[in-house]
Amino acid sequence: MEGDDETYILLLLSDSNLPTGSFVASAGFESYLKHGFPAGSNSRSSETRTIAFIQDSLETYARSALPFVSDAHRAVHEFKRSIDATSEDTDASLSMEELLHSLSTLDQLYHDMTLNHPARRASTAQGVALLTLFTKGFSAPPSLKASLQPNKRAISINTVVDKFKTMIRREETQGHLPICWGLLTGTLNLSLERSQYLHLFLHARSLLSASVRLNEVGPYGAQQLLLHAVRPLVEAETSRCRNKKTGILDEEFDELNAGPATTWPLGEILAGRHDLQHSRIFNS
Amino acid sequence: MSPSDAQRPTDIRKISVGGGRIVLNKLAGQIVTFAELSSTYPLKLLSPKVTEDGVAVVYALTYGGGLVGGDRVNLSVEVGAATSLVLLTQGSTKVFKTRPGDRLSSLPTQFPRPAHESTSPTTQIMNFAVAPSAALFLLPEPVTCFRSAAYNQVQTFHLAANASAVILDWFTSGRKSLGEEWVFSRYYSANDIWVEGKRVAKDVMLLEDDPVDASPLPRRQLRDKLAPYACFATTFLFGPLVQPAIKKLSCRYETIQVFKCTAPDKLIWSLSLVDDGAGAIVRTAGLEPEDVKMWLKEALRDVEELIGVDTYRRAFA
């Protein structure tokens, strides 16, 4: 049953109609093309341009964001375990404060490490949209509320999401996408492995839809790439970065080899120049 | 690390291999003096005389003009209240996998090399504490990693209230004259910047010659994803002394309008403000290191009057 629940959640989250704001983000792809990249691209097809960008973008995104997804998910998992371990009448507010503290510390570090402003802007916009999706799109519908009784664990975790949203509204924390994704998928009981994989898959897929909107590839071409090019890439990058951490939840931490990092300095510059484009259709 | 760790005085005799320590203080008037200026092999610190009031210059050099696998440099710097320190290198920092011409028999016996040198990376760790109203100008030449070299650089900066800093961190594609372009094995550079005990930026850049296997996709080598550029620079500007420079660069940046290009420009740069505009991060990429140097020299022109014309010229010689 657990597996069926997870599969159903996976289907919901991979729906391309989810209102997460990713359709206005190109993660620097629009700027990359506008600036005449990749170098020597006149001799290349628009399809190879799209593939090259997805490869470089996914590599740097996996190494810089996945550690935050993983740690946010782990923190939620720890919280759920502590709730399950306590008796019905124990006050959960202490571990709740701990979880909120971990999440906002992760959020602040991601903010301090995400230094180009269009990327910061896109990340917080999508993070907040995800949490809104959770509270508005995953709560019980009014007519079924009475027969859908949430358990203690669900009540506590929903409270965490509400409190984190309040912290974002009060500007006490930023609400960056990788942290919100880890929180959301942890809350919905998606396993860490699936959460990591789906996060990178969605990044790659939104680059493909950006490519369609930018007239680089057609909708069928995008579908071909999603099946034959994105799949091995998402698998390879997930497996390379699945054990990377932020260092915030661990006492032993080999930061030089296992910590978050940007791997594409050129991508940083191009993404940072997004707003300088004379005309543009994306927000990042 | 907390600011107090960085400021804790170290006994000079305790400095280990590759260690160095600079403590700059102000005496009466505009006279600055080094309370400490010490280093051990392979690091060497030299301070030429400068004429500018309140400014001291230190060259951080390495014996043989480069670093090899296994070398560890650990430099700790305190810039005392109301002083300015300019830290330079002479020529680019060359990182070799092994010291050229080194054979076991020819190793200088007074400096035995660690046995693992050919496999372990070169590591430079630098900690800076900048006191109130002081300024740090870290303007080295770029790092150049040779074939198969592995390099780690971890720099931490603690700025007090009203302290300022210009931090330049850059690297090149390698020894182009020998056909080496992006063929090092690893380049890792972290810059962790704190102002009054609060982190304002942590930039971690990692380049590895280790593309994932995503067959049937072609492997993306470093040169594929960084083309056509051979030099990347990141400049961090923080504090009251550099506000005019930030303002000028921001204005210049905002006037740029990008229309559709058919090929990449020979130089490209970006600017992002952080810490509510109190700091800026400028990234630059160019076809040649010389292009980037000329651009930086012009872009950071406001620094010239802070450190003196001669010192500025030395920094971008």
Side-chain angles (χ1 to χ4, degrees):
Chain A
M1 196 56 210
E2 187 82 8
D4 287 350
D5 287 350
E6 204 191 2
T7 306
Y8 200 77
I9 292 295
L10 203 61
L11 288 171
L12 288 184
L13 289 177
S14 49
D15 179 357
S16 58
N17 283 326
L18 277 190
T20 55
S22 65
F23 62 93
V24 293
S26 86
F29 190 34
E30 186 176 19
S31 176
Y32 175 88
L33 295 171
K34 194 71 64 67
H35 282 89
F37 285 86
S41 62
N42 284 336
S43 57
R44 300 193 206 185
S45 72
S46 52
E47 184 185 298
T48 53
R49 285 202 288 266
T50 297
I51 293 175
F53 184 83
I54 294 178
Q55 283 185 286
D56 299 340
S57 172
L58 197 67
E59 183 193 60
T60 194
Y61 188 71
R63 184 61 191 250
S64 55
L66 217 53
F68 290 88
V69 168
S70 306
D71 280 2
H73 190 284
R74 279 166 64 207
V76 173
H77 187 71
E78 277 307 306
F79 172 74
K80 288 192 298 193
R81 271 186 23 187
S82 76
I83 295 293
D84 291 347
T86 55
S87 60
E88 198 63 40
D89 49 355
T90 317
D91 184 11
S93 60
L94 196 66
S95 42
M96 199 178 289
E97 285 309 311
E98 260 174 47
L99 173 57
L100 286 168
H101 178 73
S102 296
L103 292 172
S104 59
T105 309
L106 287 166
D107 206 12
Q108 186 61 47
L109 182 61
Y110 189 76
H111 190 71
D112 292 337
M113 295 187 75
T114 306
L115 294 167
N116 87 66
H117 52 285
R120 273 187 173 183
R121 189 174 62 206
S123 176
T124 50
Q126 292 179 65
V128 174
L130 259 191
L131 297 187
T132 303
L133 170 74
F134 176 77
T135 45
K136 293 194 173 168
F138 284 76
S139 50
S143 61
L144 300 177
K145 222 167 209 157
S147 35
L148 283 171
Q149 282 297 334
N151 59 18
K152 178 182 71 163
R153 183 174 162 179
I155 294 169
S156 314
I157 197 76
N158 290 351
T159 313
V160 169
V161 176
D162 286 341
K163 287 198 170 193
F164 196 65
K165 271 181 73 180
T166 308
M167 286 172 75
I168 297 170
R169 203 177 317 121
R170 289 186 186 150
E171 299 184 353
E172 295 164 3
T173 196
Q174 305 287 337
H176 279 287
L177 176 62
I179 290 84
C180 294
W181 178 261
L183 169 59
L184 177 88
T185 54
T187 301
L188 294 171
N189 301 319
L190 208 62
S191 72
L192 176 60
E193 292 69 28
R194 286 192 156 176
S195 169
Q196 293 170 330
Y197 186 94
L198 186 56
H199 194 58
L200 294 190
F201 170 81
L202 292 175
H203 179 83
R205 194 185 62 189
S206 77
L207 293 179
L208 274 176
S209 42
S211 182
V212 174
R213 276 190 77 190
L214 289 163
N215 261 327
E216 286 286 292
V217 295
Y220 291 122
Q223 193 63 33
Q224 291 171 351
L225 292 182
L226 197 58
L227 177 59
H228 297 288
V230 164
R231 184 179 176 180
L233 195 58
V234 168
E235 264 163 24
E237 292 296 352
T238 310
S239 106
R240 170 147 78 177
C241 295
R242 68 162 44 108
N243 294 321
K244 304 291 187 239
K245 295 175 167 60
T246 65
I248 282 169
L249 305 181
D250 301 271
E251 293 196 352
E252 298 262 310
F253 177 50
D254 176 10
E255 183 169 9
L256 263 57
N257 294 302
T262 304
T263 67
W264 193 27
L266 177 59
E268 285 297 303
I269 297 177
L270 294 170
R273 286 171 68 90
H274 178 83
D275 296 351
L276 305 181
Q277 294 174 89
H278 178 69
S279 66
R280 52 186 187 269
I281 54 177
F282 288 95
N283 281 344
S284 73
Chain B
M1 197 183 63
S2 71
S4 59
D5 286 337
Q7 284 160 5
R8 191 172 300 146
T10 324
D11 191 321
I12 174 156
R13 283 161 302 183
K14 284 183 192 155
I15 289 182
S16 56
V17 175
R21 191 162 161 76
I22 304 170
V23 179
L24 183 68
N25 285 326
K26 189 167 203 170
L27 299 177
Q30 289 298 315
I31 303 163
V32 292
T33 178
F34 290 103
E36 261 190 89
L37 184 66
S38 54
S39 60
T40 57
Y41 179 88
L43 180 66
K44 196 171 170 181
L45 300 173
L46 290 178
S47 179
K49 282 217 165 7
V50 285
T51 50
E52 196 74 14
D53 280 351
V55 177
V57 175
V58 172
Y59 278 94
L61 311 173
T62 48
Y63 285 84
L67 294 163
V68 300
D71 273 349
R72 240 185 126 78
V73 167
N74 196 332
L75 180 64
S76 146
V77 179
E78 284 178 28
V79 189
T83 66
S84 289
L85 177 68
V86 184
L87 193 60
L88 305 173
T89 59
Q90 205 171 43
S92 69
T93 299
K94 298 166 192 69
V95 185
F96 305 86
K97 186 180 182 191
T98 51
R99 202 171 290 286
D102 250 13
R103 279 195 308 265
L104 277 175
S105 57
S106 66
L107 285 178
T109 47
Q110 70 272 38
F111 302 127
R113 311 292 319 166
H116 57 271
E117 76 163 37
S118 58
T119 50
S120 63
T122 301
T123 301
Q124 293 217 69
I125 295 170
M126 304 198 197
N127 292 301
F128 299 85
V130 188
S133 306
L136 168 71
F137 301 90
L138 181 56
L139 301 170
E141 294 273 340
V143 171
T144 295
C145 292
F146 288 12
R147 184 182 296 280
S148 304
Y151 180 72
N152 293 319
Q153 176 181 296
V154 179
Q155 302 188 131
T156 309
F157 305 87
H158 285 284
L159 275 58
N162 284 320
S164 300
V166 176
I167 300 156
L168 170 62
D169 181 25
W170 49 332
F171 56 93
T172 73
S173 60
R175 221 168 3 173
K176 252 182 139 177
S177 58
L178 295 183
E180 289 185 11
E181 269 199 280
W182 306 117
V183 289
F184 51 81
S185 78
R186 174 186 165 99
Y187 172 86
Y188 176 99
S189 174
N191 290 293
D192 197 358
I193 305 172
W194 299 69
V195 176
E196 292 187 74
K198 182 182 169 288
R199 179 182 272 141
V200 290
K202 181 170 181 175
D203 189 43
V204 181
M205 191 63 71
L206 172 65
L207 298 175
E208 278 178 306
D209 185 23
D210 179 27
V212 289
D213 178 10
S215 169
L217 298 183
R219 283 181 189 248
R220 294 285 287 172
Q221 307 289 343
L222 285 176
R223 73 170 76 86
D224 298 325
K225 63 182 189 184
L226 300 176
Y229 302 121
C231 180
F232 286 84
T234 306
T235 312
F236 304 87
L237 300 161
F238 280 94
L241 283 183
V242 297
Q243 288 311 307
I246 292 177
K247 211 155 274 163
K248 267 186 213 166
L249 278 169
S250 298
C251 289
R252 202 173 130 192
Y253 188 62
E254 278 159 22
T255 61
I256 299 175
Q257 283 208 21
V258 181
F259 294 89
K260 177 72 185 140
C261 308
T262 49
D265 280 340
K266 60 182 265 188
L267 186 134
I268 189 171
W269 65 290
S270 69
L271 180 145
S272 289
L273 296 176
V274 291
D275 196 21
D276 298 322
I281 290 158
V282 179
R283 298 192 199 268
T284 320
L287 291 184
E288 298 294 336
E290 202 55 29
D291 299 331
V292 177
K293 184 187 278 184
M294 286 303 113
W295 187 88
L296 289 168
K297 187 178 183 177
E298 205 268 307
L300 301 175
R301 188 61 76 180
D302 282 327
V303 168
E304 191 176 67
E305 63 181 89
L306 302 174
I307 63 176
V309 177
D310 290 345
T311 305
Y312 194 75
R313 199 166 50 220
R314 280 184 204 167
F316 293 103

